[in-house]
């Protein structure tokens, strides 16, 4: 136990001797941990959102304005027989108008209906849900296959057009991948900088205590007895930076994220990493970075 306290005291003494490099290393660890603390929940939330959008993709089959409910029902029955169709939903004109009001607002819709003399211009529609979003193109080709002359020929004469949200999903996926790449590059660069700064801090400590190291060698100190203060010094730098970053993330959570989650259901519905598991991951990452930085320097500059 006395040795443990001795190693810790020696580590703090070395940090005081090289205050500027140690402070620079701690600040870099803080920045790296903060970025990881933001990066991990953002990537988890964006990946979950992309998957949810992908799972909610569907085909919207719109009928001609003069098509009857009987025509739409007949088209729905034919669509139900297509492979990979999980289910279909018939959307009447009234249901379509109600959904449009929820999306756009009743005021604008009411004004438009007034200008149309009370008539509902929306067509009958059938929403087609696939068993897998990857099967949407095959289902669409089955609903609107090419005719003898190469022009599309729907399986029902009442079908006017078929649309899907694949473009929106592809856009979300592209943006998400771009964010992942940018944040990953920045995180890797900061991790490398943190490693180098911690390694430089340990190297300066070794240089400042080179005479003490020589004396300890002469009196028969073991290799690890000499190494432990430097290892603990690197751990202190990493844990100090991680602790500051976790404190800043906690303040941001209770002052920004939690109030927004209470007031905006959209933010509250994001599925991301819990705060406690995130803290564990960040502390573990800081320990790994500190050990790597210390180990790299001890191997190169402390030949014992």
């Amino acid at each position: 136990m006395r040795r443990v306290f001795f190693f810790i005291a020696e580590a703090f003494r070395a940090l005081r001797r090289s205050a500027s490099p140690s402070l620079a290393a701690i600040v870099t660890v803080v920045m790296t941990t903060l970025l990881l603390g933001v990066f991990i929940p953002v990537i988890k939330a964006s990946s979950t959102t992309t998957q949810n959008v992908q799972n909610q993709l569907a085909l919207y089959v719109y009928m001609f304005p003069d098509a009857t409910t009987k025509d739409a029902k007949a088209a729905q029955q034919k669509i139900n027989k297509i492979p990979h169709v999980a289910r279909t939903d018939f959307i009447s004109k009234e249901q379509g108008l109600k959904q449009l009001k929820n999306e756009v607002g009743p005021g604008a819709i009411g004004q438009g209906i007034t200008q149309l003399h009370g008539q509902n211009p929306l067509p009958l529609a059938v929403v087609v849900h696939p068993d897998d979003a990857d099967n949407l193109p095959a289902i669409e080709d089955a609903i609107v296959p090419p005719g003898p002359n190469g022009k599309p020929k729907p399986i029902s004469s009442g079908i006017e057009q078929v649309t899907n949200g694949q473009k929106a999903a592809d856009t979300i996926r592209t943006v998400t991948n771009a964010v992942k790449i940018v944040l990953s590059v920045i995180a890797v660069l900061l991790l490398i900088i943190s490693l180098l700064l911690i390694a430089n801090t340990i190297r300066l400590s070794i240089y400042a205590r080179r005479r003490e190291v020589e004396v300890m060698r002469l009196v028969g100190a073991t290799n690890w007895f000499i190494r432990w203060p430097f290892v603990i010094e690197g751990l202190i730098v990493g844990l100090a930076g991680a602790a500051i970053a976790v404190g800043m993330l906690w303040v941001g959570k209770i002052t920004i994220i939690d109030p927004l989650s209470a007031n905006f259901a959209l933010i509250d519905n994001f599925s991301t990493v819990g705060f406690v598991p995130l803290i564990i991951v960040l502390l573990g990452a800081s320990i790994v970075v500190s050990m790597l930085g210390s180990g790299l320097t001890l191997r190169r500059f402390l030949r014992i």
Side-chain angles (χ1 to χ4, degrees), residues 30-67:
V30 170
M31 297 301 296
T32 304
T33 309
L34 277 176
L35 180 64
L36 289 176
V38 175
F39 171 74
I40 295 173
V42 167
I43 293 304
K44 180 66 168 64
S46 60
S47 299
T48 303
T49 302
T50 302
Q51 186 62 41
N52 290 338
V53 171
Q54 191 74 11
N55 293 336
Q56 294 174 8
L57 287 178
L59 291 173
Y60 295 85
V61 181
Y62 295 103
M63 312 300 291
F64 282 103
D66 58 350

Side-chain angles (χ1 to χ4, degrees), residues 3-292:
R3 286 189 175 187
V4 174
F5 287 113
F6 171 77
F7 294 150
I8 295 174
E10 287 295 306
F12 277 105
R13 185 161 66 92
L15 287 172
R16 287 195 299 270
R17 283 182 176 180
S18 54
S20 297
S22 300
L23 182 61
I26 291 174
V27 171
T28 306
V29 173
V30 170
M31 297 301 296
T32 304
T33 309
L34 277 176
L35 180 64
L36 289 176
V38 175
F39 171 74
I40 295 173
V42 167
I43 293 304
K44 180 66 168 64
S46 60
S47 299
T48 303
T49 302
T50 302
Q51 186 62 41
N52 290 338
V53 171
Q54 191 74 11
N55 293 336
Q56 294 174 8
L57 287 178
L59 291 173
Y60 295 85
V61 181
Y62 295 103
M63 312 300 291
F64 282 103
D66 58 350
T68 63
T69 301
K70 183 178 179 181
D71 296 332
K73 293 286 187 179
Q76 183 181 14
Q77 291 179 358
K78 292 182 179 180
I79 294 172
N80 283 329
K81 297 178 182 179
I82 296 176
H84 303 297
V85 173
R87 76 175 198 278
T88 58
D89 298 324
F90 172 73
I91 306 297
S92 65
K93 292 186 175 183
E94 292 75 17
Q95 290 173 324
L97 182 61
K98 184 177 179 180
Q99 293 178 2
L100 191 59
K101 285 181 179 179
N102 292 333
E103 295 175 1
V104 179
I109 299 300
Q111 184 179 0
I113 294 296
T114 301
Q115 294 175 354
L116 292 171
H117 306 288
Q119 296 181 357
N120 186 346
L122 298 179
L124 299 171
V126 177
V127 181
V128 183
H129 300 276
D131 56 1
D132 191 302
D134 293 334
N135 294 323
L136 274 177
I139 297 174
E140 185 173 1
D141 291 340
I143 296 175
V144 190
N149 55 358
K151 293 183 178 181
K153 184 178 180 181
I155 59 175
S156 174
S157 59
I159 296 176
E160 181 179 17
Q161 65 175 345
V162 179
T163 62
N164 62 59
Q166 189 66 50
K167 289 184 178 180
D170 291 340
T171 301
I172 293 174
R173 188 184 298 109
T174 301
V175 173
T176 300
N177 290 337
V179 171
K180 288 180 181 179
I181 293 173
V182 172
L183 290 180
S184 298
V185 170
I186 296 175
V188 169
L189 290 176
L190 283 176
L191 283 172
I192 294 174
I193 294 172
S194 298
L195 282 172
L196 294 177
L197 282 175
I198 292 174
N200 185 62
T201 301
I202 303 301
R203 183 173 66 85
L204 290 176
S205 296
I206 294 174
Y207 182 78
R209 299 173 58 192
R210 62 190 183 280
R211 297 187 183 278
E212 296 179 23
V213 172
E214 290 294 335
V215 171
M216 285 190 287
R217 284 174 175 172
L218 292 174
V219 298
T222 63
N223 290 344
W224 276 108
F225 185 89
I226 299 174
R227 285 174 173 165
W228 270 119
F230 300 108
V231 173
I232 294 175
E233 182 180 350
L235 287 176
I236 291 173
V237 170
L239 290 177
I244 295 172
V246 167
M248 295 172 68
L249 289 171
W250 180 75
V251 171
K253 178 180 181 297
I254 63 174
T255 58
I256 299 175
I257 302 301
D258 289 348
L260 287 177
S261 299
N263 296 326
F264 297 95
L266 177 63
I267 296 177
D268 188 46
N269 289 333
F270 276 132
S271 177
T272 186
V273 182
F275 191 68
V276 174
L278 179 63
I279 291 176
I280 295 174
V281 171
L282 294 179
L283 291 177
S286 68
I287 292 174
V288 171
V289 170
S290 303
M291 292 179 65
L292 287 175

